Amino acid sequence: MGTYVFKLPDIGEGVVEGEITAWHVAVGDTVSEDQPMVDIMTDKATVGIAATNDGVVTKLHGQIGDMIAVGGPLIEFEIDGEGNATASEPEPEPEPIADPEPEPEPESEPAPAPAPAPAPTPVPTPVTSSGGRVLASPVVRRRATEAGIDLSQVPGGGPAGRVRNADLDAYIASGGAMRAPAAPTGVARTGTSEHPVVGLRRKIAEKMVESKTRIPHFSYFEEIDVTELEALRQHLNATKGPDQPKLTYLPFIMLALTKAMPNHPECNAIYDEEGNKVIRHEAVHLGIATATDRGLFVPVVKNVEAMDVWSAAAEMQRVSGACREGTATMEDLSGSTFTITSLGRDGGLGATPIINHPEVGILGVHKARDMPVVQNGQITIRRIMNVSSSWDHRVVDGADGAALVQSLKRLLEHPALIFM
């Protein structure tokens, strides 16, 4: 029998370390080749690591939330044969170092012991008739003690029945006969719970801090009349084939962005801080912010400029669905040049979306609603949708970001232009 040390393999994409997010084996388990053992999260995706040999697990290196370097030990097995390492042994305790003999201190008179401090006057802690501790500050308690008043008899008018100085004053002024107020209906809560920030939650936190601290954001808002777009969307959905996906606003917005980007190339770009250069892209690879039960993912729809509205919708559904199901690949989650974030029906009226570093812009899409507007001097009901955008002010000037949004507005308000 021998010991086999399984090390974290090279996951690719330049990944140098990963975070343990889930163990599927424990010490003492018998593992067979290709059996899932552990989930490792990288900057790009969560990767399942499977066994490359049969054996019995003897040691796990790391707990959930720990970072493991590529090539670092991950799991140790007892296997048939010699293995690739000796069994791990506890590190030997260091030899104790003898302390040098202390030099004798000169004889002196012992210092007198300090006089004991006077004991504080105890403050009673009255109990209510229900057996619970009366809520009151130390000052109120001391006043009640000095006045010989049982605090449990004083009606409290503060939160959760807390007795305040004013309540004590009123009780004393009324000779102790003041009518008690109705018992509070709420219950004061004191519990707390701790939730470790690990896995995807930690990656999101790190990404947001990086984006917000390294990118000087400015935001721009606009409202768009999507009445004609809504009519087109409903018509296409009513006449679509059985194999075609149902259309939301997003596929139209994706195509409109590809139509506008060539005239605003500074918006479809990546800021390379190390190289001190901006890389503008001709291809439009759109990140689609997707909420899942495990947190926020940004899958990417590649080369939207080559798609029609149906294929854009289908690919968006595919990559978003893969994120929700936990099957998205690193290819699905990398390479975006611009990001769209939408909260759908919960989209509110506005937001200040955080740019997906190292991109230079992001578009927030909010819910569409029927609104009274003035058109040709008359009040009429139109379908209005708000959009929010944020831009990297190092790369995109205010006028440039506004111009891109205005181009998008023109295309969505006259949707035939998207297809011309």
Coordinates of all heavy atoms in Angstrom, one line a residue, residues 48-130:
G48 N -15.7 21.2 -11.6 CA -15.7 19.9 -10.8 C -14.4 19.1 -11.1 O -14.0 18.9 -12.2
I49 N -13.8 18.7 -10.0 CA -12.5 17.9 -10.1 C -12.8 16.5 -9.8 O -13.4 16.2 -8.7 CB -11.4 18.5 -9.2 CG1 -11.2 20.0 -9.4 CG2 -10.1 17.7 -9.3 CD1 -10.6 20.3 -10.8
A50 N -12.5 15.6 -10.7 CA -12.8 14.2 -10.5 C -11.5 13.4 -10.2 O -10.4 13.9 -10.5 CB -13.4 13.6 -11.8
A51 N -11.6 12.2 -9.6 CA -10.5 11.4 -9.2 C -9.8 10.8 -10.5 O -10.5 10.5 -11.5 CB -10.9 10.3 -8.3
T52 N -8.5 10.7 -10.4 CA -7.7 10.1 -11.5 C -7.3 8.7 -11.1 O -6.6 8.0 -11.9 CB -6.5 10.9 -11.8 OG1 -5.7 11.1 -10.6 CG2 -6.9 12.3 -12.3
N53 N -7.7 8.2 -10.0 CA -7.3 6.8 -9.5 C -8.3 6.3 -8.5 O -9.1 7.0 -8.0 CB -5.9 6.9 -8.9 CG -5.8 8.0 -7.8 OD1 -5.6 9.1 -8.0 ND2 -6.1 7.5 -6.5
D54 N -8.1 5.0 -8.2 CA -8.9 4.4 -7.1 C -8.2 4.5 -5.8 O -6.9 4.5 -5.8 CB -9.2 2.9 -7.5 CG -10.0 2.8 -8.8 OD1 -10.6 3.8 -9.2 OD2 -10.0 1.7 -9.3
G55 N -8.9 4.6 -4.7 CA -8.2 4.6 -3.4 C -9.1 5.0 -2.3 O -10.3 5.3 -2.5
V56 N -8.5 5.0 -1.1 CA -9.3 5.5 0.1 C -8.7 6.8 0.5 O -7.5 7.0 0.7 CB -9.1 4.4 1.2 CG1 -9.8 4.9 2.5 CG2 -9.6 3.1 0.8
V57 N -9.6 7.8 0.7 CA -9.2 9.1 1.1 C -8.7 9.1 2.6 O -9.3 8.6 3.5 CB -10.4 10.1 1.1 CG1 -10.0 11.5 1.5 CG2 -11.0 10.2 -0.4
T58 N -7.5 9.6 2.7 CA -6.9 9.7 4.0 C -6.7 11.1 4.6 O -6.5 11.3 5.8 CB -5.5 9.0 4.0 OG1 -4.6 9.7 3.1 CG2 -5.6 7.5 3.7
K59 N -6.7 12.1 3.7 CA -6.6 13.5 4.1 C -7.1 14.4 3.1 O -6.9 14.2 1.9 CB -5.1 13.8 4.4 CG -4.9 15.2 5.0 CD -3.4 15.4 5.4 CE -3.2 16.7 6.0 NZ -1.8 16.9 6.4
L60 N -7.8 15.5 3.5 CA -8.3 16.6 2.7 C -7.4 17.8 3.0 O -7.3 18.2 4.2 CB -9.7 16.8 2.9 CG -10.7 15.7 2.6 CD1 -12.1 16.1 2.9 CD2 -10.6 15.1 1.2
H61 N -6.9 18.5 2.0 CA -6.1 19.7 2.2 C -7.0 20.9 2.0 O -7.2 21.3 0.9 CB -4.9 19.7 1.2 CG -3.8 18.7 1.6 ND1 -2.8 19.0 2.4 CD2 -3.7 17.4 1.2 CE1 -2.0 18.0 2.5 NE2 -2.5 17.0 1.8
G62 N -7.5 21.5 3.1 CA -8.3 22.7 2.9 C -9.7 22.5 3.3 O -10.3 21.4 3.1
Q63 N -10.4 23.6 3.7 CA -11.8 23.6 3.9 C -12.5 24.5 2.9 O -11.9 25.2 2.1 CB -12.0 24.1 5.4 CG -11.4 23.3 6.5 CD -11.6 23.9 7.8 OE1 -12.0 25.1 7.9 NE2 -11.3 23.1 8.9
I64 N -13.8 24.4 2.9 CA -14.6 25.3 2.0 C -14.2 26.7 2.3 O -14.2 27.2 3.4 CB -16.1 25.0 2.2 CG1 -16.5 23.6 1.8 CG2 -16.9 26.1 1.5 CD1 -17.9 23.3 2.0
G65 N -13.9 27.4 1.2 CA -13.5 28.8 1.3 C -12.0 29.0 1.2 O -11.5 30.1 1.0
D66 N -11.2 27.9 1.4 CA -9.8 28.0 1.3 C -9.3 28.1 -0.2 O -9.9 27.6 -1.1 CB -9.1 26.8 1.9 CG -9.2 26.8 3.5 OD1 -9.6 27.9 4.0 OD2 -8.8 25.8 4.1
M67 N -8.2 28.9 -0.4 CA -7.6 29.0 -1.7 C -6.5 28.0 -1.9 O -5.7 27.8 -1.0 CB -7.1 30.4 -1.9 CG -8.1 31.5 -1.8 SD -9.5 31.4 -2.9 CE -8.6 31.8 -4.5
I68 N -6.5 27.3 -3.0 CA -5.5 26.2 -3.3 C -4.8 26.6 -4.6 O -5.5 26.9 -5.6 CB -6.2 24.8 -3.5 CG1 -6.9 24.5 -2.2 CG2 -5.1 23.8 -3.8 CD1 -6.1 24.3 -1.0
A69 N -3.5 26.6 -4.6 CA -2.7 27.0 -5.7 C -2.7 25.8 -6.7 O -2.7 24.6 -6.3 CB -1.3 27.4 -5.3
V70 N -2.6 26.1 -8.0 CA -2.5 25.0 -9.0 C -1.2 24.3 -8.7 O -0.1 24.9 -8.5 CB -2.5 25.6 -10.4 CG1 -2.1 24.6 -11.4 CG2 -3.9 26.2 -10.8
G71 N -1.2 23.0 -8.6 CA 0.0 22.2 -8.3 C 0.1 21.9 -6.8 O 1.0 21.2 -6.4
G72 N -0.8 22.5 -6.0 CA -0.7 22.3 -4.6 C -1.5 21.1 -4.2 O -2.4 20.6 -4.9
P73 N -1.1 20.4 -3.1 CA -1.8 19.2 -2.7 C -3.3 19.4 -2.3 O -3.6 20.4 -1.7 CB -1.0 18.7 -1.4 CG -0.3 20.0 -0.9 CD -0.1 20.8 -2.1
L74 N -4.1 18.5 -2.8 CA -5.6 18.7 -2.6 C -6.1 17.5 -1.8 O -6.9 17.8 -0.8 CB -6.3 18.8 -3.9 CG -7.7 19.3 -4.0 CD1 -7.8 20.6 -3.4 CD2 -8.2 19.3 -5.4
I75 N -5.8 16.3 -2.2 CA -6.4 15.1 -1.5 C -5.3 14.0 -1.4 O -4.5 13.9 -2.4 CB -7.6 14.5 -2.2 CG1 -8.7 15.6 -2.4 CG2 -8.2 13.3 -1.5 CD1 -9.9 15.2 -3.2
E76 N -5.2 13.3 -0.3 CA -4.3 12.2 -0.2 C -5.1 10.9 -0.2 O -6.1 10.8 0.5 CB -3.4 12.3 1.0 CG -2.4 13.5 0.9 CD -1.5 13.6 2.1 OE1 -1.3 12.5 2.8 OE2 -0.9 14.6 2.3
F77 N -4.6 9.9 -0.9 CA -5.2 8.5 -0.9 C -4.3 7.5 -0.4 O -3.1 7.6 -0.6 CB -5.6 8.2 -2.4 CG -6.6 9.1 -3.0 CD1 -6.2 10.2 -3.8 CD2 -8.0 8.9 -2.8 CE1 -7.1 11.0 -4.4 CE2 -8.9 9.8 -3.4 CZ -8.4 10.8 -4.2
E78 N -4.9 6.4 0.1 CA -4.1 5.1 0.3 C -4.5 4.3 -0.9 O -5.7 4.0 -1.2 CB -4.5 4.5 1.6 CG -3.8 3.2 1.9 CD -4.2 2.6 3.2 OE1 -5.3 1.9 3.1 OE2 -3.5 2.8 4.2
I79 N -3.5 3.8 -1.7 CA -3.7 3.1 -2.9 C -2.9 1.8 -2.9 O -2.0 1.6 -2.1 CB -3.4 3.9 -4.2 CG1 -1.9 4.3 -4.2 CG2 -4.2 5.2 -4.2 CD1 -1.4 4.9 -5.5
D80 N -3.3 0.9 -3.8 CA -2.5 -0.3 -4.0 C -1.2 0.1 -4.8 O -1.3 0.9 -5.7 CB -3.3 -1.3 -4.8 CG -4.5 -1.9 -4.1 OD1 -4.4 -1.9 -2.8 OD2 -5.5 -2.2 -4.7
G81 N -0.1 -0.4 -4.3 CA 1.1 0.0 -5.0 C 1.9 1.0 -4.2 O 1.6 1.3 -3.0
E82 N 2.9 1.6 -4.8 CA 3.8 2.5 -4.1 C 3.3 3.9 -3.9 O 3.7 4.6 -3.0 CB 5.2 2.5 -4.8 CG 5.9 1.2 -4.8 CD 7.3 1.3 -5.5 OE1 7.6 2.4 -5.9 OE2 8.0 0.3 -5.6
G83 N 2.4 4.4 -4.8 CA 2.0 5.7 -4.7 C 3.0 6.7 -5.2 O 4.0 6.3 -5.8
N84 N 2.9 8.0 -4.9 CA 3.8 9.0 -5.3 C 4.4 9.8 -4.2 O 5.1 10.8 -4.4 CB 3.2 9.9 -6.3 CG 2.1 10.8 -5.7 OD1 1.7 10.6 -4.6 ND2 1.5 11.7 -6.5
A85 N 4.1 9.4 -2.9 CA 4.6 10.1 -1.8 C 4.5 9.3 -0.5 O 3.7 8.3 -0.5 CB 3.9 11.5 -1.6
T86 N 5.2 9.6 0.5 CA 5.1 9.0 1.8 C 3.9 9.6 2.5 O 3.5 10.7 2.3 CB 6.3 9.2 2.6 OG1 6.6 10.5 2.8 CG2 7.5 8.5 2.0
A87 N 3.3 8.8 3.4 CA 2.1 9.3 4.1 C 2.5 10.5 4.9 O 3.6 10.6 5.4 CB 1.6 8.2 5.1
S88 N 1.6 11.5 4.9 CA 1.9 12.7 5.6 C 2.0 12.4 7.1 O 1.2 11.7 7.7 CB 0.9 13.8 5.4 OG -0.4 13.2 5.7
E89 N 3.1 13.0 7.8 CA 3.3 12.8 9.2 C 3.2 14.2 9.9 O 3.5 15.2 9.2 CB 4.7 12.2 9.4 CG 4.8 10.8 8.8 CD 6.2 10.2 8.9 OE1 7.0 11.0 9.5 OE2 6.4 9.1 8.6
P90 N 2.9 14.1 11.1 CA 2.9 15.4 11.8 C 4.3 16.0 11.9 O 5.3 15.3 12.0 CB 2.3 15.1 13.2 CG 2.6 13.6 13.4 CD 2.5 13.0 12.0
E91 N 4.4 17.3 11.8 CA 5.7 18.0 11.9 C 6.3 17.8 13.3 O 5.6 17.9 14.3 CB 5.6 19.4 11.5 CG 5.1 19.7 10.1 CD 5.0 21.2 9.8 OE1 5.4 21.9 10.7 OE2 4.6 21.5 8.7
P92 N 7.6 17.5 13.4 CA 8.2 17.3 14.7 C 8.1 18.6 15.5 O 8.2 19.7 14.9 CB 9.6 16.9 14.4 CG 9.9 17.5 13.0 CD 8.6 17.4 12.3
E93 N 7.9 18.5 16.8 CA 7.9 19.6 17.7 C 9.3 20.2 17.8 O 10.3 19.4 17.9 CB 7.4 19.2 19.0 CG 6.0 18.6 19.0 CD 5.1 19.3 19.8 OE1 5.5 20.2 20.6 OE2 3.9 19.1 19.7
P94 N 9.5 21.5 17.7 CA 10.8 22.1 17.8 C 11.4 21.8 19.2 O 10.7 21.7 20.2 CB 10.6 23.6 17.6 CG 9.2 23.8 18.0 CD 8.5 22.5 17.6
E95 N 12.8 21.6 19.2 CA 13.5 21.4 20.5 C 13.3 22.6 21.3 O 13.5 23.7 20.9 CB 14.9 21.1 20.2 CG 15.2 19.8 19.5 CD 14.9 18.6 20.4 OE1 15.1 18.8 21.7 OE2 14.5 17.5 20.0
P96 N 13.0 22.4 22.6 CA 12.9 23.6 23.5 C 14.2 24.2 23.7 O 15.2 23.6 23.8 CB 12.3 23.0 24.8 CG 12.7 21.5 24.8 CD 12.7 21.1 23.4
I97 N 14.2 25.5 23.7 CA 15.4 26.3 23.9 C 15.5 26.7 25.4 O 14.5 27.4 25.9 CB 15.5 27.5 23.0 CG1 15.4 27.1 21.6 CG2 16.7 28.4 23.3 CD1 15.4 28.2 20.6
A98 N 16.6 26.3 26.1 CA 16.7 26.6 27.5 C 16.8 28.1 27.7 O 17.5 28.8 27.0 CB 17.9 25.9 28.1
D99 N 16.0 28.6 28.6 CA 16.1 30.1 29.0 C 17.3 30.3 29.8 O 17.7 29.5 30.7 CB 14.9 30.5 29.8 CG 13.6 30.5 28.9 OD1 13.7 30.7 27.7 OD2 12.5 30.2 29.5
P100 N 18.1 31.4 29.5 CA 19.2 31.7 30.4 C 18.8 32.0 31.8 O 17.7 32.4 32.0 CB 19.8 32.9 29.7 CG 18.7 33.6 29.0 CD 17.8 32.4 28.5
E101 N 19.7 31.6 32.8 CA 19.3 31.9 34.2 C 19.1 33.4 34.4 O 20.0 34.2 34.0 CB 20.4 31.3 35.1 CG 20.5 29.8 35.2 CD 21.4 29.4 36.3 OE1 21.6 30.2 37.2 OE2 21.8 28.2 36.3
P102 N 18.0 33.7 35.0 CA 17.8 35.2 35.3 C 18.8 35.7 36.3 O 19.2 34.9 37.3 CB 16.4 35.2 35.8 CG 16.1 33.9 36.3 CD 16.9 32.9 35.5
E103 N 19.3 36.9 36.2 CA 20.1 37.5 37.1 C 19.4 37.8 38.4 O 18.2 38.2 38.4 CB 20.7 38.8 36.6 CG 21.6 38.5 35.4 CD 22.2 39.8 34.9 OE1 22.0 40.9 35.6 OE2 22.9 39.8 33.9
P104 N 20.0 37.5 39.6 CA 19.2 37.8 40.8 C 18.9 39.3 41.0 O 19.7 40.1 40.6 CB 20.2 37.3 41.9 CG 21.6 37.4 41.3 CD 21.3 37.0 39.8
E105 N 17.7 39.5 41.4 CA 17.3 40.9 41.6 C 17.8 41.4 42.9 O 17.8 40.7 43.9 CB 15.8 41.1 41.5 CG 15.2 40.7 40.1 CD 13.7 40.9 40.1 OE1 13.2 41.3 41.1 OE2 13.1 40.6 39.0
P106 N 18.1 42.7 43.0 CA 18.6 43.2 44.3 C 17.4 43.2 45.3 O 16.3 43.3 45.0 CB 18.9 44.7 44.0 CG 18.2 45.0 42.8 CD 18.1 43.7 42.0
E107 N 17.8 42.8 46.6 CA 16.8 42.7 47.6 C 16.2 44.1 47.9 O 16.9 45.1 47.9 CB 17.5 42.2 48.9 CG 18.0 40.8 48.8 CD 18.5 40.2 50.1 OE1 18.4 41.0 51.1 OE2 18.9 39.1 50.1
S108 N 15.0 44.1 48.2 CA 14.3 45.4 48.5 C 13.1 45.1 49.3 O 12.6 44.0 49.4 CB 13.9 46.1 47.2 OG 13.0 45.3 46.5
E109 N 12.6 46.1 49.9 CA 11.4 46.0 50.8 C 10.2 45.7 49.9 O 10.1 46.3 48.8 CB 11.2 47.3 51.5 CG 12.2 47.6 52.6 CD 12.1 46.6 53.8 OE1 11.0 46.2 54.1 OE2 13.1 46.3 54.4
P110 N 9.4 44.7 50.3 CA 8.2 44.4 49.4 C 7.3 45.6 49.4 O 7.1 46.3 50.4 CB 7.6 43.2 50.1 CG 8.1 43.3 51.5 CD 9.4 43.9 51.5
A111 N 6.7 45.9 48.2 CA 5.8 47.0 48.0 C 4.5 46.7 48.8 O 4.0 45.6 48.8 CB 5.5 47.2 46.5
P112 N 4.0 47.7 49.4 CA 2.7 47.5 50.2 C 1.6 47.1 49.2 O 1.5 47.7 48.1 CB 2.5 48.8 50.8 CG 3.2 49.8 50.0 CD 4.4 49.1 49.5
A113 N 0.7 46.2 49.6 CA -0.4 45.8 48.8 C -1.4 46.9 48.6 O -1.6 47.7 49.6 CB -1.1 44.6 49.4
P114 N -1.9 47.1 47.4 CA -2.9 48.3 47.2 C -4.1 48.0 48.0 O -4.6 46.9 48.2 CB -3.2 48.2 45.7 CG -2.9 46.8 45.3 CD -1.7 46.4 46.2
A115 N -4.7 49.1 48.5 CA -5.9 49.0 49.3 C -7.0 48.6 48.4 O -7.1 49.0 47.2 CB -6.2 50.4 49.9
P116 N -7.9 47.7 48.9 CA -9.0 47.2 48.0 C -10.0 48.3 47.7 O -10.3 49.2 48.5 CB -9.7 46.1 48.9 CG -9.3 46.5 50.3 CD -8.0 47.1 50.2
A117 N -10.4 48.3 46.4 CA -11.4 49.4 46.0 C -12.7 49.1 46.6 O -13.1 48.0 46.8 CB -11.5 49.3 44.5
P118 N -13.4 50.2 47.0 CA -14.8 50.0 47.6 C -15.7 49.3 46.6 O -15.7 49.6 45.4 CB -15.2 51.4 47.9 CG -14.4 52.3 46.9 CD -13.1 51.6 46.8
A119 N -16.5 48.4 47.1 CA -17.4 47.7 46.2 C -18.5 48.6 45.7 O -19.0 49.5 46.5 CB -18.1 46.5 47.0
P120 N -18.9 48.5 44.5 CA -19.9 49.4 43.9 C -21.3 49.1 44.6 O -21.6 48.0 44.9 CB -19.9 49.1 42.4 CG -19.4 47.7 42.3 CD -18.4 47.6 43.4
T121 N -22.1 50.1 44.7 CA -23.4 49.9 45.2 C -24.2 49.1 44.2 O -24.3 49.5 43.1 CB -24.1 51.3 45.5 OG1 -23.3 52.1 46.3 CG2 -25.5 51.1 46.1
P122 N -24.8 48.0 44.6 CA -25.5 47.2 43.7 C -26.8 47.8 43.3 O -27.4 48.5 44.0 CB -25.8 45.9 44.4 CG -25.8 46.3 45.9 CD -24.8 47.4 46.0
V123 N -27.1 47.7 42.0 CA -28.4 48.2 41.5 C -29.3 47.1 41.2 O -29.0 46.1 40.5 CB -28.2 49.0 40.1 CG1 -29.5 49.5 39.6 CG2 -27.2 50.2 40.4
P124 N -30.5 47.0 41.8 CA -31.4 45.9 41.6 C -31.8 45.8 40.2 O -31.8 46.8 39.5 CB -32.6 46.3 42.5 CG -32.1 47.3 43.4 CD -31.0 48.1 42.7
T125 N -32.1 44.6 39.7 CA -32.6 44.4 38.4 C -34.0 43.9 38.5 O -34.2 42.7 38.6 CB -31.7 43.4 37.6 OG1 -31.6 42.2 38.4 CG2 -30.3 43.9 37.4
P126 N -35.0 44.8 38.5 CA -36.4 44.4 38.7 C -36.8 43.4 37.6 O -36.3 43.4 36.5 CB -37.1 45.7 38.7 CG -36.1 46.8 38.8 CD -34.8 46.2 38.3
V127 N -37.8 42.6 37.9 CA -38.3 41.6 37.0 C -39.8 42.0 36.8 O -40.5 42.3 37.8 CB -38.1 40.2 37.6 CG1 -38.8 39.2 36.6 CG2 -36.7 39.9 37.7
T128 N -40.3 41.9 35.6 CA -41.7 42.1 35.3 C -42.5 41.0 35.9 O -42.0 39.9 36.2 CB -41.9 42.3 33.8 OG1 -41.6 41.0 33.2 CG2 -41.0 43.3 33.2
S129 N -43.8 41.2 35.9 CA -44.7 40.2 36.4 C -44.7 39.0 35.6 O -45.0 37.9 36.0 CB -46.2 40.8 36.4 OG -46.5 41.2 35.1
S130 N -44.2 39.0 34.3 CA -44.1 37.8 33.4 C -42.8 37.1 33.6 O -42.6 36.1 33.0 CB -44.3 38.2 32.0 OG -43.3 39.1 31.6

